[in-house]
Amino acid sequence: PLRCWDPITSCCAMFRNQYDQDVLAWSPQGRLHQVEYAMEAVKQGATAVGCKSRDYVVLATLKRAASELSSAQNKLFKIDENLGVAISGLTADGTLATKSLRAACITHKFTFGSEAEIGRLAGIISDKSQMCTQRSGSRPSGIGMLIAGKDDQGCHLYQTCPSGNLYNHSAAAIGARSQASKTFLEKHMDRFHNLSLTELTTLALQALKEATTDPISDMSCSVAVVGDGSPFRILEHEELSAFITRLELDVN
């Protein structure tokens, strides 16, 4: 049987296929669809939360496993003694980005004999993400990063995204259901500056808890800290369990 041609349906299909097949193709609305798809991959990734006070930065992430038979993928990475990252999105892309960040740290230390500024390193990663949005034959990186570190200028928390944008935050949340964590952080943003490490870690876990309906435990989340007198380190299970127990007592 003959099929009637629907100009509206055909037109929509043409526009969709025409403007999302290449990262260099702009849509008539001024959008780069492949970049938006990469940013959507970050939104569907595991939740990651970052909080910064005057003296410390805390990163907290939810763990995800591909199945009950596999271990959870690592979402926190130590880059240097004063620097680490949390990722959300495609873990393989995140692993590659962390290797690039480590290489930038080593290069700067070898060349100048000192630690690089955190903002400069964050800019290197965001610039590499941006280059993927204007080169034919490549795809945008499907990873969002929270970069936490301490340098001579103080504590820093940066967010990168597949578009190449770089944001400086007092607190941030990325990944699935991160809006609930953002709302929680916005309600408590006036408290961040003077919080101790213990208080800041508890606050980060509370924000992370907002993004999940399941109870959090030392097996379902990871926390890392960096700041004055504290190099970047991922908390051990016993230490993390103590924070979670304290959080549950405060809630009850």
Side-chain angles (χ1 to χ4, degrees), residues 219-237:
M219 300 302 295
S220 64
C221 67
S222 298
V223 174
V225 300
V226 64
D228 285 350
S230 175
F232 186 90
R233 63 187 182 91
I234 299 174
L235 300 188
E236 299 292 340
H237 286 288

Side-chain angles (χ1 to χ4, degrees), residues 19 48 50 56 73 113 135 141 145 148 162 164 191 210 237 245:
Y19 296 109
Y56 303 99
Q73 291 180 318
R135 287 184 176 177
S141 176
M145 302 179 73
R191 300 172 49 197
E210 294 292 319
H237 286 288
T245 301

Side-chain angles (χ1 to χ4, degrees), residues 17-101:
N17 294 331
Q18 184 176 356
Y19 296 109
D20 69 357
Q21 297 301 307
D22 195 312
V23 71
L24 301 181
W26 289 92
S27 75
Q29 292 78 32
R31 298 162 61 184
L32 293 171
H33 288 290
Q34 283 202 10
V35 175
E36 293 182 6
Y37 297 160
M39 295 174 72
E40 189 64 30
V42 176
K43 292 179 182 179
Q44 295 180 11
T47 309
V49 172
C51 299
K52 180 184 73 172
S53 69
R54 179 183 56 199
D55 300 321
Y56 303 99
V57 188
V58 174
L59 297 176
T61 63
L62 288 176
K63 294 180 180 179
R64 276 187 180 178
S67 71
E68 295 182 357
L69 300 177
S70 67
S71 61
Q73 291 180 318
N74 187 23
K75 301 294 183 180
L76 285 175
F77 297 89
K78 180 179 179 179
I79 304 301
D80 204 347
E81 289 301 315
N82 67 327
L83 175 66
V85 300
I87 64 171
S88 180
L90 301 182
T91 304
D93 286 4
T95 303
L96 184 62
T98 58
K99 290 180 179 178
S100 177
L101 197 52

Side-chain angles (χ1 to χ4, degrees), residues 63 205 214-222 240-241 244 248:
K63 294 180 180 179
L205 284 170
D214 299 325
I216 60 173
S217 68
D218 60 325
M219 300 302 295
S220 64
C221 67
S222 298
L240 180 55
S241 295
I244 294 174
E248 291 174 348

Side-chain angles (χ1 to χ4, degrees):
L2 295 176
R3 301 176 65 182
C4 296
W5 178 70
D6 186 344
I8 297 179
T9 303
S10 299
C11 183
C12 291
M14 178 189 69
F15 274 77
R16 184 177 64 251
N17 294 331
Q18 184 176 356
Y19 296 109
D20 69 357
Q21 297 301 307
D22 195 312
V23 71
L24 301 181
W26 289 92
S27 75
Q29 292 78 32
R31 298 162 61 184
L32 293 171
H33 288 290
Q34 283 202 10
V35 175
E36 293 182 6
Y37 297 160
M39 295 174 72
E40 189 64 30
V42 176
K43 292 179 182 179
Q44 295 180 11
T47 309
V49 172
C51 299
K52 180 184 73 172
S53 69
R54 179 183 56 199
D55 300 321
Y56 303 99
V57 188
V58 174
L59 297 176
T61 63
L62 288 176
K63 294 180 180 179
R64 276 187 180 178
S67 71
E68 295 182 357
L69 300 177
S70 67
S71 61
Q73 291 180 318
N74 187 23
K75 301 294 183 180
L76 285 175
F77 297 89
K78 180 179 179 179
I79 304 301
D80 204 347
E81 289 301 315
N82 67 327
L83 175 66
V85 300
I87 64 171
S88 180
L90 301 182
T91 304
D93 286 4
T95 303
L96 184 62
T98 58
K99 290 180 179 178
S100 177
L101 197 52
R102 288 192 185 107
C105 286
I106 293 171
T107 300
H108 188 279
K109 280 187 176 181
F110 180 80
T111 304
F112 301 103
S114 62
E115 294 178 342
E117 294 180 357
I118 306 301
R120 179 179 178 275
L121 295 172
I124 291 174
I125 294 299
S126 63
D127 288 346
K128 289 188 176 183
S129 296
Q130 196 279 332
M131 283 191 291
C132 293
T133 69
Q134 59 182 34
R135 287 184 176 177
S136 181
S138 65
R139 66 164 177 82
S141 176
I143 197 70
M145 302 179 73
L146 296 179
I147 303 174
K150 172 78 166 59
D151 58 21
D152 294 337
Q153 298 178 5
C155 293
H156 304 276
L157 176 63
Y158 291 96
Q159 176 193 349
T160 68
C161 68
S163 65
N165 286 328
L166 179 66
Y167 306 96
N168 188 3
H169 287 285
S170 295
I174 58 176
R177 298 181 179 178
S178 60
Q179 186 56 51
S181 297
K182 290 178 184 177
T183 302
F184 176 86
L185 293 170
E186 289 169 358
K187 291 179 180 178
H188 296 83
M189 63 179 298
D190 295 336
R191 300 172 49 197
F192 292 147
H193 187 68
N194 295 315
L195 290 180
S196 66
L197 180 57
T198 299
E199 293 170 332
L200 193 66
T201 303
T202 303
L203 190 69
L205 284 170
Q206 285 179 308
L208 189 67
K209 190 175 184 297
E210 294 292 319
T212 179
T213 56
D214 299 325
I216 60 173
S217 68
D218 60 325
M219 300 302 295
S220 64
C221 67
S222 298
V223 174
V225 300
V226 64
D228 285 350
S230 175
F232 186 90
R233 63 187 182 91
I234 299 174
L235 300 188
E236 299 292 340
H237 286 288
E238 295 78 9
E239 192 174 2
L240 180 55
S241 295
F243 277 110
I244 294 174
T245 301
R246 175 179 175 176
L247 174 61
E248 291 174 348
L249 291 175
D250 290 342
V251 172
N252 296 332

